Amino acid sequence: MSRRTVIAAVDGSAESLAAAAWAAREARLRGLPLHLLHARQDRSPLFSPALAGGIGTASDGTTMTRHGAEHVLAETADRLGERHPDLDVSVDQVIGRPAEVLLSATEQAEVLVMGSRGLGVLGGFLAGSVSTPVIARAERPVVVVRPGGRVEDGAGGGPASSQYLDVVLGLDLSRPCDELISYAFEAATARAAGLRVIHGWTAPAVFDHDPAAADPGHRVARGLREASALTDVLRPWRGAFPQVEVTEQCVVGRAAHHLVDASSNASLLVVGRRIRRAPFVTHVGPVTHAVLHHAAAPVAVVPHL
């Protein structure tokens, strides 16, 4: 792959097929090729598909054979090619530990798209031995798509502006990184959609102990300062993307539940994750962790320093 591609992890499961369908639409929107990737691990009694989050295993709970993987990849590529005849689709299967294969693939990816089983007996897909390290360690954006959840409108032709719901961005003003904001604006631009930016702030603890500080006027003033700071951060981005209609929301309290609520009426939810290069890191941050478990829309996790 000589240029960046949209990569979808495919294993034949309903989760991965939903991810591939989403990835095809994303590739079409961005004018990029789509690469379907199957990470095939050798059969091993220690390999548990229940822990692997579905990546690299067949629906019957066994490790997929080379011929089985070839069939799934070819069938998926044909189906997507019929739906998007102008889309450049390639396929590949790589033998190795699925998490390591996918992490390596992200080096050439504009975005990696993975499927999610959503909430279940393991408490959500983050329990997976594949999903966790990929999301936590990838240095390119990773989008997680859940079958049966909200997928993007706009799959069926016609003017994009009439089909895509808003892109929602969760923004922490203590580290408003360019990579995260840029991704959200570009996603909204590709969809001809609006961008809703949600910033959550929490009143300092002194507000709970100092009667003077607890005066409602103090909270109002703090809220106005937060809103002004959000406007200042977004001002140059509005100038760079004048075609994107931006809605700013400053909300009191932690942003996670506000973002989950907003996801029910969004085409894509965008959140950030700080890059940590420790070899076994699995931490994604509390807000990102919460929305990955509960959001109704596809979630894009954008790594940043």
Side-chain angles (χ1 to χ4, degrees):
M1 295 177 287
S2 59
R3 60 174 173 143
R4 291 203 180 276
T5 62
V6 175
I7 298 179
V10 174
D11 63 12
S13 66
E15 295 82 16
S16 74
L17 295 179
W22 190 96
R25 293 193 294 274
E26 184 72 2
R28 186 191 64 181
L29 285 171
R30 292 178 175 267
L32 293 173
L34 171 66
H35 188 68
L36 305 178
L37 176 62
H38 176 80
R40 183 166 63 86
Q41 181 167 298
D42 288 340
R43 292 181 183 274
S44 167
L46 299 179
F47 179 68
S48 170
L51 294 177
I55 302 299
T57 63
S59 59
D60 63 0
T62 63
T63 303
M64 193 178 294
T65 65
R66 177 173 62 85
H67 294 297
E70 288 174 352
H71 174 75
V72 166
L73 287 168
E75 186 177 68
T76 304
D78 288 345
R79 183 183 303 114
L80 295 176
E82 290 175 359
R83 191 164 191 176
H84 309 288
D86 57 341
L87 184 61
D88 179 6
V89 183
S90 60
V91 302
D92 191 20
Q93 61 170 305
V94 178
I95 296 177
R97 294 181 180 273
E100 294 174 1
V101 169
L102 295 178
L103 281 169
S104 177
T106 61
E107 297 174 6
Q108 299 296 326
E110 183 68 20
V111 60
L112 171 67
V113 186
M114 302 175 65
S116 160
R117 288 194 173 111
L119 294 175
V121 293
L122 293 178
F125 64 87
L126 284 178
S129 62
V130 173
S131 302
T132 302
V134 173
I135 295 169
R137 293 168 52 198
E139 297 195 10
R140 298 294 302 168
V142 176
V143 173
V144 178
V145 179
R146 182 174 302 148
R150 172 178 292 284
V151 294
E152 295 195 49
D153 300 335
S161 60
S162 66
Q163 298 180 1
Y164 286 97
L165 298 172
D166 285 352
V167 172
V168 173
L169 166 64
L171 187 60
D172 180 356
L173 291 184
S174 68
R175 52 174 74 96
C177 63
D178 288 351
E179 297 93 337
L180 178 62
I181 301 173
S182 177
Y183 186 94
F185 270 91
E186 289 172 0
T189 298
R191 292 157 176 77
L195 175 62
R196 194 166 8 141
V197 184
I198 298 177
H199 163 61
W201 64 275
T202 303
V206 67
F207 279 21
D208 298 324
H209 304 288
D210 183 349
D215 186 311
H218 288 274
R219 292 179 182 269
V220 171
R222 171 68 185 275
L224 291 173
R225 289 196 299 272
E226 294 289 338
S228 178
L230 179 59
T231 296
D232 289 344
V233 166
L234 294 177
R235 184 175 292 112
W237 295 96
R238 286 177 178 268
F241 294 87
Q243 71 278 21
V244 177
E245 181 178 347
V246 181
T247 302
E248 301 174 13
Q249 289 181 245
C250 277
V251 296
V252 179
R254 298 189 181 278
H257 77 274
H258 295 284
L259 292 172
V260 170
D261 286 346
S263 73
S264 64
N265 196 36
S267 64
L268 180 67
L269 176 58
V270 182
V271 293
R273 176 191 61 77
R274 294 194 68 182
I275 294 175
R276 295 175 173 85
R277 294 193 169 94
F280 302 110
V281 65
T282 59
H283 182 68
V284 297
V287 173
T288 298
H289 184 277
V291 300
L292 283 169
H293 275 76
H294 300 291
V299 178
V301 181
V302 181
H304 58 86
L305 295 174

